[in-house]
Amino acid sequence: MEPFNFNELPEVVRQLFEKVERIELLLARLEPKEPDENEILNIEEAAEFLKVSVGALYTKVSRQEIPYSKPGKRLYFNRIDLKEWIRQGKRKTLTEIKQDTDIQPYRNRMRPAIRKHH
């Protein structure tokens, strides 16, 4: 930018605002959009989301290992259902397993005895 005098200040400020506005618009276009949590995905999008091949996803569908919808000939996947499916497959850490076994004896002591009446 070239030097300017006091009388030119309003015009310089206006130009700066315009440039900042253009930069903000460009950045907004570059930012990845937040995915809609309830978004419906096709087979390719679901495979990309899960980071598996389309073929591997078809295999999971044919084995009924993954939640999907098939209204007609095409497969659809709900992003929330896929996230929940991933969470359900979570394996416990050794620390979590140890905590469960440490707590287990206390749980059994607290249960009242169930008597069978004949």
Tab-separated table of all heavy atoms in Angstrom, residues 103-113:
chain	number	residue	atom	x	y	z
A	103	ILE	N	-14.254	-54.475	40.826
A	103	ILE	CA	-15.562	-54.050	41.334
A	103	ILE	C	-16.524	-55.233	41.418
A	103	ILE	O	-17.378	-55.272	42.281
A	103	ILE	CB	-16.153	-52.938	40.427
A	103	ILE	CG1	-15.285	-51.690	40.533
A	103	ILE	CG2	-17.591	-52.623	40.798
A	103	ILE	CD1	-15.636	-50.609	39.527
A	104	GLN	N	-16.385	-56.206	40.570
A	104	GLN	CA	-17.331	-57.320	40.461
A	104	GLN	C	-17.661	-57.989	41.796
A	104	GLN	O	-18.820	-58.192	42.091
A	104	GLN	CB	-16.821	-58.356	39.448
A	104	GLN	CG	-17.835	-59.403	39.087
A	104	GLN	CD	-19.065	-58.811	38.417
A	104	GLN	OE1	-18.973	-57.860	37.669
A	104	GLN	NE2	-20.215	-59.361	38.712
A	105	PRO	N	-16.690	-58.362	42.652
A	105	PRO	CA	-17.046	-59.042	43.898
A	105	PRO	C	-17.989	-58.204	44.770
A	105	PRO	O	-18.859	-58.731	45.434
A	105	PRO	CB	-15.708	-59.260	44.600
A	105	PRO	CG	-14.707	-59.222	43.501
A	105	PRO	CD	-15.261	-58.290	42.472
A	106	TYR	N	-17.820	-56.899	44.764
A	106	TYR	CA	-18.668	-56.026	45.565
A	106	TYR	C	-20.087	-55.991	45.028
A	106	TYR	O	-21.047	-55.927	45.779
A	106	TYR	CB	-18.091	-54.607	45.624
A	106	TYR	CG	-16.731	-54.580	46.265
A	106	TYR	CD1	-15.597	-54.316	45.515
A	106	TYR	CD2	-16.583	-54.860	47.618
A	106	TYR	CE1	-14.348	-54.303	46.097
A	106	TYR	CE2	-15.330	-54.855	48.208
A	106	TYR	CZ	-14.217	-54.584	47.439
A	106	TYR	OH	-12.982	-54.575	48.018
A	107	ARG	N	-20.248	-56.064	43.740
A	107	ARG	CA	-21.581	-56.075	43.145
A	107	ARG	C	-22.350	-57.318	43.597
A	107	ARG	O	-23.520	-57.241	43.926
A	107	ARG	CB	-21.494	-56.068	41.620
A	107	ARG	CG	-21.109	-54.743	41.060
A	107	ARG	CD	-21.196	-54.792	39.555
A	107	ARG	NE	-20.606	-53.587	38.982
A	107	ARG	CZ	-20.088	-53.512	37.787
A	107	ARG	NH1	-20.082	-54.560	37.004
A	107	ARG	NH2	-19.587	-52.387	37.339
A	108	ASN	N	-21.672	-58.460	43.620
A	108	ASN	CA	-22.344	-59.701	44.002
A	108	ASN	C	-22.782	-59.670	45.453
A	108	ASN	O	-23.809	-60.224	45.806
A	108	ASN	CB	-21.438	-60.902	43.745
A	108	ASN	CG	-21.265	-61.154	42.258
A	108	ASN	OD1	-22.081	-60.738	41.454
A	108	ASN	ND2	-20.182	-61.827	41.906
A	109	ARG	N	-22.017	-59.053	46.321
A	109	ARG	CA	-22.352	-58.991	47.741
A	109	ARG	C	-23.585	-58.126	47.982
A	109	ARG	O	-24.307	-58.331	48.927
A	109	ARG	CB	-21.192	-58.409	48.544
A	109	ARG	CG	-20.045	-59.354	48.679
A	109	ARG	CD	-19.005	-58.743	49.572
A	109	ARG	NE	-17.732	-59.396	49.327
A	109	ARG	CZ	-16.564	-58.906	49.633
A	109	ARG	NH1	-16.477	-57.726	50.195
A	109	ARG	NH2	-15.471	-59.568	49.384
A	110	MET	N	-23.805	-57.162	47.113
A	110	MET	CA	-24.889	-56.222	47.336
A	110	MET	C	-26.230	-56.752	46.828
A	110	MET	O	-27.273	-56.242	47.206
A	110	MET	CB	-24.570	-54.880	46.669
A	110	MET	CG	-23.327	-54.231	47.248
A	110	MET	SD	-22.902	-52.734	46.393
A	110	MET	CE	-23.969	-51.588	47.260
A	111	ARG	N	-26.234	-57.768	46.020
A	111	ARG	CA	-27.484	-58.313	45.498
A	111	ARG	C	-28.189	-59.141	46.575
A	111	ARG	O	-27.579	-59.990	47.200
A	111	ARG	CB	-27.212	-59.214	44.297
A	111	ARG	CG	-26.843	-58.471	43.077
A	111	ARG	CD	-26.843	-59.418	41.897
A	111	ARG	NE	-26.197	-58.746	40.769
A	111	ARG	CZ	-25.485	-59.339	39.867
A	111	ARG	NH1	-25.299	-60.642	39.908
A	111	ARG	NH2	-24.928	-58.646	38.892
A	112	PRO	N	-29.471	-58.907	46.735
A	112	PRO	CA	-30.192	-59.745	47.694
A	112	PRO	C	-30.403	-61.149	47.116
A	112	PRO	O	-30.482	-61.319	45.918
A	112	PRO	CB	-31.536	-59.018	47.872
A	112	PRO	CG	-31.675	-58.174	46.626
A	112	PRO	CD	-30.257	-57.872	46.162
A	113	ALA	N	-30.454	-62.095	47.981
A	113	ALA	CA	-30.664	-63.487	47.554
A	113	ALA	C	-32.064	-63.636	46.991
A	113	ALA	O	-33.026	-63.109	47.529
A	113	ALA	CB	-30.448	-64.437	48.721
